[in-house]
């Protein structure tokens, strides 16, 4: 059993293995999971968590693991972060739900005000709240169609936008997200992404050629005047932490502006300080018309947001947007706690620091380990892409093997990538340096 009774940053910040991974108690619980939950709900690492905080997760057998996943970029402020816990505890005792559309409450408005202020661009904005990233992206498309009177939506190769009917349609990868789940939603069109490592003529011409190709496809196959929105992740997340070649996003944005197409940034994974900016769009000065956020927004409570130009969001008729739980008061209080934590603990700078520690180490590994074809990312969103040495042929088996070795040593890492050959690193931004270093050393040893 765990030696502490609470999670949060007070949890001993150490890797500690007291059983094999997974231990007997986790194996018992996993057997129950398999009997009660369908296998479609996968498991990256079958250890059952009892406490978490700072840079560690503690399991039911008392093992303390270094967390390079943050529950998929969610607990950026750490698990059970004090300002989140305090606000949620107060709120849960006051009231838990009214439905904001029935009788409103202040915290929802405060979250929207903050997002209007913090997201890129100083134009007048509006925000509304929903429950998940997918729901935010769906709503962005609804709003964009309504505002433009157009139907087509353009998405990109390697994109990931969720698992609902519309958002899995927007998602690029068949297995596991789309396989046997069709037919898909109509009026969704996919164009190339500027993926430097895999661009046929090399990384130098990637941005220019990919943008030209994408724009030509839109003009020829859809017609710009039929396109409501372009939906793009400023760094492709599930697709493999692909940072589009510099210049690609501005070129797509210019094309959108010139043709009355709305630019929708899906910052569900990249948002809230993760990449070393508050939002990844800031890196190239992109000001999206609509921005979707979720994951890192509320420390793990289910919350997502759609923020956009006032003149676009204000078009939708009364009652056209919303949902029973959207902007639940507990989740809103958690988000306010997250915003305070990012500001007061300097987590934007902290994310940059994590990138400054990790990227040189990962590049060092690449020199010694020829299966690392590419090292990339920004801030605390970094990755290595594994290939057959000297080629760009993906090596998903090696990726799984390295993941397995890291897990056995108590380092929680996640995979990603259209080809399943990317190891991605998303430590909580509050992770202490000694754990970051120890995690990198475990990764280093797992690469032999
Ligand atoms: C996770 C993710 C989504 C979907 O969010 P859910 O909360 O899982 O619905 C959408 N877009 C991106 C970029 C994501 O990473």
């Amino acid at each position: 059993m765990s030696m502490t009774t609470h999670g949060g940053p007070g949890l001993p910040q150490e890797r500690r293995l007291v059983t094999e991974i997974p231990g007997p108690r986790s194996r018992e619980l996993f057997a129950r999971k398999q009997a009660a939950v369908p296998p479609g709900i996968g498991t990256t690492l079958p250890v059952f968590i009892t406490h978490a905080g700072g840079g560690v997760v503690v399991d039911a057998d008392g093992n303390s693991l270094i967390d390079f996943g943050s529950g998929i970029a969610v607990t950026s402020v750490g698990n059970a972060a004090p300002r989140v816990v305090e606000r949620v505890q107060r709120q849960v005792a006051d009231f838990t739900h009214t439905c904001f559309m029935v009788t409103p409450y202040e915290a929802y408005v405060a979250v929207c005000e903050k997002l209007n202020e913090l997201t890129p661009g100083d134009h007048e904005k509006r925000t509304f709240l929903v429950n998940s990233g997918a729901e935010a992206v769906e709503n962005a498309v609804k709003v964009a169609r309504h505002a433009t009177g157009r139907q087509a939506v353009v998405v990109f190769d390697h994109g990931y936008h969720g698992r609902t009917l519309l958002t899995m349609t927007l998602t690029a990868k068949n297995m596991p997200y789309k396989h046997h789940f069709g037919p898909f939603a109509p009026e969704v069109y996919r164009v190339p992404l500027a993926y430097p490592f895999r661009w046929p003529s090399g990384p130098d011409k990637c941005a220019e050629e990919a943008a030209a190709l994408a724009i030509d496809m839109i003009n020829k196959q859809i017609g710009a005047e039929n396109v409501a929105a372009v939906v793009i992740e400023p760094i492709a997340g599930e697709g493999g932490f692909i940072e589009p070649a510099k210049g690609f996003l501005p070129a797509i944005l210019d094309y959108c502006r010139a043709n009355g197409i709305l630019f929708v940034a899906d910052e569900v994974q990249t948002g809230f300080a993760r990449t070393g900016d508050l939002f990844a769009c800031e890196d190239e000065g992109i000001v999206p018309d609509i921005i979707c956020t979720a994951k890192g927004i509320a420390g793990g409570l289910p919350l997502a947001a759609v923020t956009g130009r006032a003149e676009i969001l204000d078009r939708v008729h009364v009652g056209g947007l919303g949902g029973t739980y959207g902007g639940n008061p507990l989740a809103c209080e958690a988000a306010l706690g997250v915003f305070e934590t990012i500001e007061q603990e300097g987590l934007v700078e902290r994310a940059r620091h994590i990138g400054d520690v990790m990227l040189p180490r990962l590049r060092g590994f690449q020199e010694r380990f020829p299966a690392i074809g590419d090292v990339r990312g920004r801030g605390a969103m970094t990755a290595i892409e594994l290939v057959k040495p000297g080629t760009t042929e993906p090596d998903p088996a090696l990726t799984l093997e390295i993941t397995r070795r890291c897990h056995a040593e108590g380092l929680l890492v996640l995979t990603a990538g259209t080809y399943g050959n990317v190891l991605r690193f998303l430590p909580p931004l509050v992770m202490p340096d000694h754990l970051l270093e120890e995690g990198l050393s475990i990764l280093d040893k797992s690469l032999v």
Side-chain angles (χ1 to χ4, degrees), residues 14-46:
E14 61 178 14
R15 180 176 67 112
R16 184 181 68 237
L17 298 186
V18 296
T19 70
E20 59 183 335
I21 303 290
R25 180 73 186 129
S26 279
R27 287 204 300 270
E28 225 175 275
L29 289 164
F30 192 65
R32 278 173 56 194
K33 183 241 177 199
Q34 281 176 306
V37 181
I41 306 289
T43 306
T44 300
L45 173 57

Side-chain angles (χ1 to χ4, degrees), residues 94-114:
D94 286 348
F95 69 95
T96 49
H97 175 82
T98 64
C99 186
F100 186 74
M101 304 181 303
V102 176
T103 48
Y105 37 88
E106 183 177 349
Y108 185 117
V109 179
V111 170
C112 296
E113 287 170 345
K114 203 73 189 164

Side-chain angles (χ1 to χ4, degrees), residues 30 35 54 58 60 74 102 119 133 144 149 160-161 217 231 244 280 328 350-351 356 361 364 370 373 380 404 414:
F30 192 65
V58 175
V74 169
V102 176
T119 51
Y160 179 85
H161 302 288
M217 283 174 75
V231 180
N328 167 274
R350 186 69 203 160
D356 290 344
R361 285 291 297 279
R404 197 195 56 74
L414 308 175

Side-chain angles (χ1 to χ4, degrees), residues 183-201:
F184 301 107
E187 289 305 317
V188 173
Y189 301 87
R190 190 170 313 284
V191 298
L193 178 75
Y195 187 166
F197 179 63
R198 294 188 175 276
W199 196 254
S201 61

Side-chain angles (χ1 to χ4, degrees), residues 233-256:
E233 299 161 272
I235 298 177
E238 302 303 300
F241 283 23
I242 304 158
E243 189 182 1
K246 297 267 190 248
F248 180 76
L249 293 174
I252 298 295
L253 180 66
D254 286 348
Y255 172 77
C256 288

Side-chain angles (χ1 to χ4, degrees), residues 96-163:
T96 49
H97 175 82
T98 64
C99 186
F100 186 74
M101 304 181 303
V102 176
T103 48
Y105 37 88
E106 183 177 349
Y108 185 117
V109 179
V111 170
C112 296
E113 287 170 345
K114 203 73 189 164
L115 289 172
N116 293 343
E117 175 199 327
L118 295 176
T119 51
D122 48 20
H123 51 279
E124 190 169 349
K125 294 174 208 155
R126 302 284 187 264
T127 292
F128 64 99
L129 303 177
V130 291
N131 301 296
S132 71
E135 206 185 341
V137 175
E138 289 243 10
N139 273 283
V141 171
K142 277 171 67 171
V143 167
R145 284 178 169 160
H146 195 288
T148 59
R150 304 173 178 182
Q151 294 186 354
V153 179
V154 172
V155 287
F156 292 80
D157 206 2
H158 310 287
Y160 179 85
H161 302 288
R163 294 174 181 272

Side-chain angles (χ1 to χ4, degrees), residues 72-74 131-137 159-164 167 171 232-238 266-270 292 294-295 303-304 381 424:
I72 320 186
V74 169
N131 301 296
S132 71
E135 206 185 341
V137 175
Y160 179 85
H161 302 288
R163 294 174 181 272
T164 59
T167 58
T171 293
I232 189 164
E233 299 161 272
I235 298 177
E238 302 303 300
D266 179 348
E267 290 236 25
V268 168
Q269 191 155 167
T270 49
C292 299
K295 290 198 166 92
L303 188 72
M381 182 171 184
R424 58 170 153 171

Side-chain angles (χ1 to χ4, degrees), residues 72-405:
I72 320 186
V74 169
T75 53
S76 298
V77 298
N79 255 292
R83 292 178 188 85
V84 172
V85 171
E86 202 220 318
R87 280 178 168 276
V88 172
Q89 280 178 340
R90 233 186 303 141
Q91 182 61 45
V92 78
D94 286 348
F95 69 95
T96 49
H97 175 82
T98 64
C99 186
F100 186 74
M101 304 181 303
V102 176
T103 48
Y105 37 88
E106 183 177 349
Y108 185 117
V109 179
V111 170
C112 296
E113 287 170 345
K114 203 73 189 164
L115 289 172
N116 293 343
E117 175 199 327
L118 295 176
T119 51
D122 48 20
H123 51 279
E124 190 169 349
K125 294 174 208 155
R126 302 284 187 264
T127 292
F128 64 99
L129 303 177
V130 291
N131 301 296
S132 71
E135 206 185 341
V137 175
E138 289 243 10
N139 273 283
V141 171
K142 277 171 67 171
V143 167
R145 284 178 169 160
H146 195 288
T148 59
R150 304 173 178 182
Q151 294 186 354
V153 179
V154 172
V155 287
F156 292 80
D157 206 2
H158 310 287
Y160 179 85
H161 302 288
R163 294 174 181 272
T164 59
L165 176 60
L166 178 60
T167 58
M168 80 172 159
T169 306
L170 301 178
T171 293
K173 188 178 177 180
N174 173 53
M175 199 58 163
Y177 307 120
K178 306 170 82 162
H179 191 63
H180 289 173
F181 296 143
F184 301 107
E187 289 305 317
V188 173
Y189 301 87
R190 190 170 313 284
V191 298
L193 178 75
Y195 187 166
F197 179 63
R198 294 188 175 276
W199 196 254
S201 61
D204 294 342
K205 290 190 173 162
C206 176
E208 196 187 324
E209 289 180 3
L213 202 54
I215 289 166
D216 187 53
M217 283 174 75
I218 297 171
N219 287 334
K220 275 197 316 228
Q221 297 181 22
I222 320 167
E225 66 276 22
N226 298 316
V227 179
V230 154
V231 180
I232 189 164
E233 299 161 272
I235 298 177
E238 302 303 300
F241 283 23
I242 304 158
E243 189 182 1
K246 297 267 190 248
F248 180 76
L249 293 174
I252 298 295
L253 180 66
D254 286 348
Y255 172 77
C256 288
R257 293 274 193 271
N259 290 281
I261 298 169
L262 300 182
F263 187 100
V264 177
D266 179 348
E267 290 236 25
V268 168
Q269 191 155 167
T270 49
F272 302 104
R274 175 55 55 188
T275 62
D277 287 301
L278 201 48
F279 297 98
C281 277
E282 292 168 34
D283 182 65
E284 287 188 277
I286 299 290
V287 176
D289 299 302
I290 299 177
I291 178 169
C292 299
T293 53
K295 290 198 166 92
I297 196 174
L301 276 85
L303 188 72
V306 180
T307 303
R309 293 182 187 279
E311 67 268 26
I312 294 170
L313 266 65
D314 284 348
R315 294 259 182 100
V316 179
H317 47 276
V318 173
L321 304 170
T324 306
Y325 293 121
N328 167 274
L330 302 178
C332 287
E333 287 293 338
L336 295 173
V338 165
F339 303 155
E340 287 166 9
T341 306
I342 289 173
E343 213 168 290
Q344 288 171 24
E345 296 189 15
L347 294 186
V348 171
E349 295 70 35
R350 186 69 203 160
R352 286 188 187 206
H353 167 76
I354 290 173
D356 290 344
V357 170
M358 291 194 72
L359 284 165
R361 285 291 297 279
L362 297 174
R363 290 193 185 110
F365 299 163
Q366 186 180 22
E367 280 167 24
R368 285 183 287 112
F369 195 67
I372 300 180
D374 197 22
V375 172
R376 56 183 180 245
R378 292 208 301 267
M381 182 171 184
T382 59
I384 57 178
E385 175 159 358
L386 294 151
V387 293
K388 307 283 186 201
T391 74
T392 56
E393 191 189 330
D395 196 341
L398 177 66
T399 309
L400 273 185
E401 175 56 24
I402 295 168
T403 305
R404 197 195 56 74
R405 286 183 201 152

